[in-house]
C-alpha cells in the first residue's frame, strides 16, 4: 500500500497548483521529494505541513524570501524559529501600517476631489504642502495680508504648490526664491504699492469667470494702461531692487520659459487674453 502522496494529491489537499509546488522546490523553499519507482514525486506529512505553513505565510503577505528566512531554522529549535518568525511578522506589520497610512492619504485625496462640484485636473498639486516660494515670501507680507481677498490668497497657494511639485534645478530654484523674497521685501517697504498690486490682482481674478471675448477683458487692460498702474509698479521695483547673480541666472534660464507657461496654464481663457494684451501693449 502506498504511504506517500503524489503531487496532484498534495495540490488538491492544499488548494494550490502543482506548478506552485514545483516552483517552491526549484527555489529551495521545499526540499526535493522522494520518487516512486515510476518516477512520480512523493510527499510526506512533513512536506504537507511545510507547504501549509508557506501557504498561510503567503496569505499574510510575506514574500517568498522572508518565508524562506522564517522557515530556515530547524523545527527542533523552536525558540529560535519562533523568534525569527515573530521578528518577520512584526516587520511586516510595520510595512502594512505604512501602506495603510499611504492608502488612507490617497483615499482622503480622492474623497476631496469627489466632493468638488467640478473635478480638478490631474495637474493640480497632489501634495498641498508642496511649496516653491511662499515660505520665503509670507514672513515679509504677513502684516499686509489682511487686505488680501482669501480667495486670491488661496489661488496663490495653489500656484505655489503646483510649481513646488516639480524638482527644479537647485541653482534655478535658488534664484527664483531669492527673486521672490526680494519682491516681498520690496512690497513690505512700499505698502501703498502692495495695495495697488493687490487691487490689480483682484481685478484680474474677476476675469476667471467671464468668457474669453467678454468686454471685461478690454476694460481691465484699458484700466491698467490708463491708470499706469503696471508702469508705476515695475519702474519703482526696478529702481529699488538690484538683481543678484542668482536672480539673473534665473531669468536667463530656459526653465523660466517653462515656468511662465505653467503659470499661464492656471489662467482662464479670458485671463490669458488679458495677459497677452498687456504684454503686447508693454512692448509696443
Amino acid at each position: 500500500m502506498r504511504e506517500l502522496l503524489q503531487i496532484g494529491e498534495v495540490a488538491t489537499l492544499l488548494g494550490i497548483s502543482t506548478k506552485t509546488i514545483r516552483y517552491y522546490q526549484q527555489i529551495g523553499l521545499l526540499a526535493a521529494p522522494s520518487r516512486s519507482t515510476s518516477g512520480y514525486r512523493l510527499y510526506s506529512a512533513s512536506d504537507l505541513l511545510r507547504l501549509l505553513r508557506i501557504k498561510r505565510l503567503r496569505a499574510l503577505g510575506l514574500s517568498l524570501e522572508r518565508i524562506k528566512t522564517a522557515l530556515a531554522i530547524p523545527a527542533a529549535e523552536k525558540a529560535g524559529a519562533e523568534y525569527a518568525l515573530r521578528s518577520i511578522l512584526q516587520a511586516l506589520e510595520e510595512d502594512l501600517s505604512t501602506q495603510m497610512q499611504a492608502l488612507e492619504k490617497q483615499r482622503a485625496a480622492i474623497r476631496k476631489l469627489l466632493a468638488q462640484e467640478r473635478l480638478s485636473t490631474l495637474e493640480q498639486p497632489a501634495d498641498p504642502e508642496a511649496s516653491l516660494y511662499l515660505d520665503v515670501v509670507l514672513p515679509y507680507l504677513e502684516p499686509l495680508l489682511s487686505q488680501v481677498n482669501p480667495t486670491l490668497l488661496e489661488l496663490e497657494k495653489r500656484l505655489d504648490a503646483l510649481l513646488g511639485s516639480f524638482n527644479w534645478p537647485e541653482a534655478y530654484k535658488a534664484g527664483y526664491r531669492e527673486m521672490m523674497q526680494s519682491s516681498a521685501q520690496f512690497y513690505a517697504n512700499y505698502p501703498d504699492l502692495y495695495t495697488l498690486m493687490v487691487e490689480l490682482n483682484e481685478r484680474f481674478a474677476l476675469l476667471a469667470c467671464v468668457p474669453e471675448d467678454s468686454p471685461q477683458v478690454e476694460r481691465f487692460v484699458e484700466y491698467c494702461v490708463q491708470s499706469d498702474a503696471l508702469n508705476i509698479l515695475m519702474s519703482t521695483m526696478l529702481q529699488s531692487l538690484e538683481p543678484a547673480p542668482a536672480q539673473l541666472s534665473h531669468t536667463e534660464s530656459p526653465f523660466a520659459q517653462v515656468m511662465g507657461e505653467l503659470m499661464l496654464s492656471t489662467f482662464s481663457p479670458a485671463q490669458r487674453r488679458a495677459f497677452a494684451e498687456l504684454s503686447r501693449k508693454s512692448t509696443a
Side-chain angles (χ1 to χ4, degrees):
M1 181 179 69
R2 179 162 56 87
E3 296 180 353
L4 300 177
L5 299 174
Q6 294 181 356
I7 190 169
E9 295 168 330
V10 172
T12 300
L13 284 172
L14 290 166
I16 59 178
S17 68
T18 56
K19 182 179 179 180
T20 297
I21 297 174
R22 286 193 291 268
Y23 178 68
Y24 288 165
Q25 291 168 193
Q26 180 183 339
I27 64 174
L29 197 52
L30 184 68
S34 59
R35 291 183 178 268
S36 67
T37 53
S38 303
Y40 290 107
R41 290 180 172 89
L42 297 175
Y43 298 86
S44 66
S46 61
D47 294 324
L48 200 63
L49 285 173
R50 186 173 179 88
L51 283 168
L52 180 62
R53 293 190 185 102
I54 295 171
K55 179 183 177 181
R56 287 180 173 172
L57 291 173
R58 285 291 286 163
L60 291 174
L62 266 72
S63 66
L64 292 178
E65 193 63 37
R66 278 183 164 179
I67 292 174
K68 186 183 293 187
T69 301
L71 300 181
I73 301 177
E77 301 177 23
K78 289 186 178 180
E82 182 174 341
Y83 175 78
L85 180 57
R86 184 174 295 277
S87 298
I88 290 173
L89 290 176
Q90 286 174 340
L92 177 62
E93 196 274 336
E94 292 174 3
D95 289 346
L96 289 174
S97 295
T98 301
Q99 292 175 34
M100 288 171 66
Q101 290 173 6
L103 288 172
E104 189 58 40
K105 186 176 181 181
Q106 284 180 293
R107 185 169 70 169
I110 292 171
R111 284 179 171 176
K112 184 176 181 180
L113 285 173
L114 291 174
Q116 297 177 6
E117 185 176 345
R118 296 180 62 185
L119 290 178
S120 299
T121 62
L122 291 178
E123 286 78 13
Q124 292 300 324
D127 183 5
E129 301 302 321
S131 177
L132 178 62
Y133 60 87
L134 275 186
D135 59 317
V136 297
V137 167
L138 290 180
Y140 293 95
L141 300 182
E142 193 169 358
L144 305 173
L145 292 181
S146 59
Q147 60 184 294
V148 179
N149 186 312
T151 302
L152 198 60
L153 185 58
E154 183 60 30
L155 289 174
E156 190 70 27
K157 289 179 179 179
R158 288 178 62 187
L159 174 61
D160 178 48
L162 172 62
L163 297 180
S165 299
F166 297 93
N167 296 319
W168 303 100
E170 283 303 318
Y172 176 82
K173 181 178 178 180
Y176 186 81
R177 284 169 60 83
E178 186 175 347
M179 183 188 72
M180 295 300 291
Q181 186 176 26
S182 297
S183 299
Q185 189 171 11
F186 164 79
Y187 284 121
N189 294 334
Y190 296 89
D192 290 344
L193 290 180
Y194 183 72
T195 301
L196 177 59
M197 187 270 292
V198 169
E199 180 196 348
L200 287 176
N201 281 343
E202 289 185 342
R203 287 175 178 268
F204 185 72
L206 292 174
L207 299 180
C209 302
V210 303
E212 184 177 1
D213 58 355
S214 170
Q216 286 183 241
V217 175
E218 285 86 358
R219 287 198 291 269
F220 171 77
V221 173
E222 192 63 24
Y223 171 80
C224 291
V225 172
Q226 293 297 327
S227 68
D228 211 25
L230 287 178
N231 286 336
I232 293 173
L233 279 173
M234 294 305 298
S235 61
T236 308
M237 183 176 289
L238 288 174
Q239 292 171 12
S240 303
L241 298 179
E242 187 68 32
Q247 294 175 344
L248 289 175
S249 66
H250 152 256
T251 56
E252 296 171 357
S253 167
F255 290 101
Q257 177 67 26
V258 175
M259 180 176 285
E261 292 174 1
L262 285 172
M263 292 178 181
L264 283 174
S265 73
T266 66
F267 294 168
S268 71
Q271 289 173 320
R272 284 196 290 271
R273 182 180 159 222
F275 186 83
E277 283 295 313
L278 284 172
S279 298
R280 183 178 63 80
K281 288 180 180 294
S282 66
T283 55

